[in-house]
Amino acid sequence: MSFSLATWNINSVRLREPLVLKLLAEHGPDVLCLQECKSPVDKIPVEAFKAAGYTHMVARGQKGYNGVAILSKLPLVDAGDQDFAMLGHARHVAAKLENGTTIHNFYVPAGGDKPNREINEKFGQKLDYLSEMRDWFHGDKPEKSILVGDLNIAPREDDVWDHKKLLKIVSHTPVEVEALGAVQDAGNWVDITRQDVPAGNLYSWWSYRAADWDAADKGRRLDHIWATSDIAQAGHSSHIVRDARGWEKPSDHAPVFASFDL
């Protein structure tokens, strides 16, 4: 079974429904994982997605914030969710395909502006969330699984536009990078994007604050596709649809793609 998969922080699925439909029409992933849907599940425009061929969905939502959804052309079943750090947020949902592959869709907390949990509660919540992800994967080793989402961390030096300048900026601080690495190690996760594109600057997010995001190109790779080591070699064809960042009224994230032969 071969299928393509994409992950995209859409920054409001209702506001950006036309962009989702554009991506589905032009790029046609078999599975699309969305984060920051900012919608209760019953308000997600599911009928429009069904009309586009995405007849299956599992999702967790809440009004105005967070929210994760998995849209699929392929049959899948709900495989539950986790509320790490007891935040009460819709930040994780899992689904299982008919071939037994489990897909985890995550929206890790952004962590606020100051990388210090003593003065910034949100940064502490982010670190706690990552610690509990690590412990979960240590205790229940994933197999035949794919993990995607906005993990809100750019771990490598070439995942950011300037490594030295961003060392004290939330999303690229050493403590966050170490925490994300511990999550990855706990589940024997392989970074599929970097397996395919092992070197060179690669970004999936550009700030709204830039007057010309494309020319400035001050990006970060915050969005990831991982697979457990038992199926990592089945992953291929990774790419980022950078153009989507320039669509009308865009998300500040671009979709990240990979394909799997399982």
Side-chain angles (χ1 to χ4, degrees):
M1 175 183 173
S2 298
F3 63 94
S4 57
L5 177 147
T7 179
W8 194 8
N9 178 318
I10 193 59
N11 191 14
S12 178
V13 68
R14 287 187 283 173
L15 180 64
R16 295 188 169 83
E17 175 188 345
L19 300 190
V20 177
L21 293 172
K22 179 178 174 68
L23 185 81
L24 298 180
E26 295 182 1
H27 295 271
D30 293 304
V31 180
L32 174 62
C33 298
L34 299 172
Q35 303 87 39
E36 206 171 354
C37 295
K38 296 182 175 178
S39 175
V41 173
D42 62 358
K43 299 292 185 182
I44 294 174
V46 64
E47 293 305 320
F49 301 147
K50 285 182 178 178
Y54 293 77
T55 53
H56 305 274
M57 182 183 80
V58 298
R60 300 292 186 272
Q62 62 188 96
K63 184 178 180 180
Y65 298 94
N66 307 312
V68 284
I70 302 175
L71 311 177
S72 181
K73 294 179 181 178
L74 309 172
L76 47 74
V77 296
D78 195 317
D81 60 79
Q82 296 291 322
D83 180 22
F84 295 113
M86 300 290 287
L87 297 176
H89 296 173
R91 292 186 175 275
H92 170 252
V93 70
K96 183 168 284 191
L97 299 173
E98 287 187 320
N99 68 356
T101 303
T102 299
I103 299 171
H104 292 276
N105 183 14
F106 276 97
Y107 177 42
V108 171
D113 295 327
K114 300 291 184 181
N116 182 338
R117 69 181 305 150
E118 301 304 319
I119 61 173
N120 175 14
E121 180 184 22
K122 291 182 178 180
F123 193 71
Q125 291 174 345
K126 182 177 192 175
L127 297 181
D128 291 344
Y129 194 97
L130 292 164
S131 293
E132 293 191 18
M133 284 179 69
R134 175 202 64 201
D135 292 347
W136 189 48
F137 291 132
H138 266 309
D140 188 7
K141 287 286 186 183
E143 297 178 345
K144 198 175 183 181
S145 297
I146 300 168
L147 185 157
V148 309
D150 178 3
L151 304 185
N152 263 312
I153 297 171
R156 293 174 29 148
E157 292 189 16
D158 52 3
D159 288 339
V160 295
W161 67 275
D162 191 313
H163 167 61
K164 289 184 179 179
K165 288 183 179 179
L166 270 70
L167 278 172
K168 295 182 179 179
I169 302 299
V170 174
S171 77
H172 191 60
T173 66
V175 66
E176 293 170 272
V177 172
E178 182 180 358
L180 187 67
V183 173
Q184 189 173 352
D185 290 346
N188 293 321
W189 297 105
V190 175
D191 182 342
I192 298 299
T193 308
R194 282 305 191 180
Q195 177 177 269
D196 282 349
V197 189
N201 291 345
L202 199 61
Y203 313 139
S204 64
W205 175 90
W206 296 261
S207 174
Y208 284 131
R209 297 174 184 173
D212 186 337
W213 70 272
D214 193 29
D217 202 23
K218 293 183 176 181
R220 307 176 202 175
R221 187 173 70 103
L222 303 180
D223 306 272
H224 300 264
I225 298 177
W226 296 352
T228 45
S229 58
D230 55 342
I231 62 169
Q233 292 307 310
H236 61 90
S237 303
S238 297
H239 62 283
I240 297 173
V241 182
R242 180 187 173 106
D243 290 353
R245 178 61 180 82
W247 292 350
E248 186 176 356
K249 296 180 180 179
S251 169
D252 46 359
H253 294 253
V256 180
F257 277 71
S259 294
F260 292 87
D261 299 329
L262 292 169

